[in-house]
Amino acid sequence: MLGLDKQMSAMRAGGESAMGKATDQKSNAGNGFSFKKMLPLLVIAIAIAAFFLLGLDDYLTFQALSDNRDQLIDFVSANFLLAALLYMGLYIAVVAFSLPGGLLMTVTGGFLFGWFAAGFMTVFAATVGATLLFLIAATSLGEPLRKKAGTTLKKLEDGFAENALSYLLFLRLVPVFPFWLVNIAPAFLGVKLSTYIVGTFIGIIPGTFVFAYLGGGLDSIIREQQASYQSCLDSGQTDCVLDFQITSLVTTEILFSFCALGVIALLPIVLKKFRKSSK
């Protein structure tokens, strides 16, 4: 009987050990990279590739806007609500899939809907699109990367978390880093979703309304470029192009203003460090 009890105890211990290993393996698999977690990023990669392979980037250009100016104006005039919903839906997709053309769309929104309406629609759509991308990055890469990076990322994460809103406002206001990078970087640093949404919404308001306002004068630029293009064709030249670049609207004064706002956003951090050092 004593020998039988020892055998039963050994079997139970072995079973518990095996179950423990299985549980640990399952836990590690859940905390690491997996196909299920990476699937949303794979969908984004496929969407970006399809966007360029299908030539859809040709529709997010000044040339396409100029060619379809009259049709767009007529459609918005006859179907303002539907046009607004389509605009916001497309903007959400552009941001969520990190597609190019966000600046052109903002300016075009100001041109088609007026700077005030376009500003609010764009801020809302951009915040929704950025939040979707943040959630995908946080669930697919954020947690596994934080676990694998160890203490290095942990120190950066702690510093960012302490002043997350100020840092996020700075990144949103100062146009130094690409918009898509600012969308996903906080996901790797453990920023709370509520903080991310507030920081994104407030941070993109100045730039959005500035470029929506500039879009109000886009019609005169389109007509001027069309006239120059037609004159070029009438002269018999074959290399005529509409060469206006939307990025030319970004002046030194605008960049300086954004940088000044970014510095203001960092003031709480500077003051906090100054108080700590004075103590």
Side-chain angles (χ1 to χ4, degrees):
M1 290 293 291
L2 182 60
L4 181 61
D5 290 340
K6 289 183 178 180
Q7 290 180 4
M8 292 294 292
S9 299
M11 290 176 62
R12 283 197 298 268
E16 290 175 357
S17 176
M19 290 177 63
K21 290 181 180 179
T23 302
D24 290 340
Q25 290 176 355
K26 185 176 181 181
S27 176
N28 291 334
N31 292 330
F33 297 96
S34 65
F35 178 77
K36 185 177 180 180
K37 287 185 176 181
M38 297 298 293
L39 183 59
L41 290 180
L42 181 62
V43 172
I44 291 179
I46 293 174
I48 294 174
F51 178 78
F52 288 103
L53 289 174
L54 297 175
L56 298 180
D57 54 315
D58 293 336
Y59 292 96
L60 291 177
T61 61
F62 179 78
Q63 174 78 54
L65 175 61
S66 177
D67 293 342
N68 297 280
R69 168 188 173 275
D70 295 336
Q71 294 92 323
L72 288 171
I73 292 176
D74 292 341
F75 180 78
V76 172
S77 298
N79 310 275
F80 187 89
L81 180 59
L82 176 60
L85 292 175
L86 289 174
Y87 171 79
M88 288 189 289
L90 180 59
Y91 208 110
I92 290 172
V94 166
V95 174
F97 290 110
S98 299
L99 302 175
L103 177 58
L104 175 63
M105 287 195 63
T106 303
V107 175
T108 302
F111 162 58
L112 293 175
F113 302 101
W115 69 271
F116 190 75
F120 277 104
M121 288 190 294
T122 304
V123 168
F124 172 78
T127 301
V128 173
T131 301
L132 291 175
L133 185 57
F134 171 86
L135 291 172
I136 292 173
T139 54
S140 299
L141 293 175
E143 183 180 350
L145 282 179
R146 287 197 297 273
K147 289 183 178 296
K148 291 180 180 295
T151 58
T152 303
L153 185 60
K154 187 66 171 63
K155 292 179 180 178
L156 184 60
E157 181 180 342
D158 292 340
F160 198 94
E162 185 180 356
N163 304 283
L165 185 58
S166 294
Y167 281 130
L168 189 56
L169 286 174
F170 173 78
L171 293 174
R172 291 297 186 194
L173 290 168
V174 181
V176 176
F177 304 100
F179 189 67
W180 64 267
L181 181 59
V182 181
N183 288 340
I184 63 174
F188 304 150
L189 298 173
V191 175
K192 293 181 180 179
L193 178 61
S194 58
T195 302
Y196 178 85
I197 294 175
V198 172
T200 299
F201 184 84
I202 297 175
I204 64 176
I205 285 176
T208 299
F209 275 89
V210 165
F211 289 112
Y213 179 79
L214 293 175
L218 190 61
D219 193 43
S220 61
I221 297 175
I222 292 176
R223 285 188 272 107
E224 179 183 342
Q225 289 293 318
Q226 287 178 337
S228 299
Y229 180 70
Q230 190 59 47
S231 298
C232 179
L233 292 177
D234 294 340
S235 65
Q237 299 183 42
T238 58
D239 57 347
C240 303
V241 292
L242 290 171
D243 58 357
F244 176 74
Q245 299 295 322
I246 292 295
T247 52
S248 64
L249 295 173
V250 184
T251 64
T252 304
E253 291 78 8
I254 291 176
L255 290 176
F256 179 80
S257 300
F258 290 160
C259 290
L261 290 173
V263 171
I264 293 174
L266 290 179
L267 283 179
I269 299 175
V270 176
L271 291 174
K272 184 182 292 186
K273 291 184 177 180
F274 176 77
R275 289 171 181 170
K276 287 183 178 179
S277 62
S278 63
K279 289 180 181 180

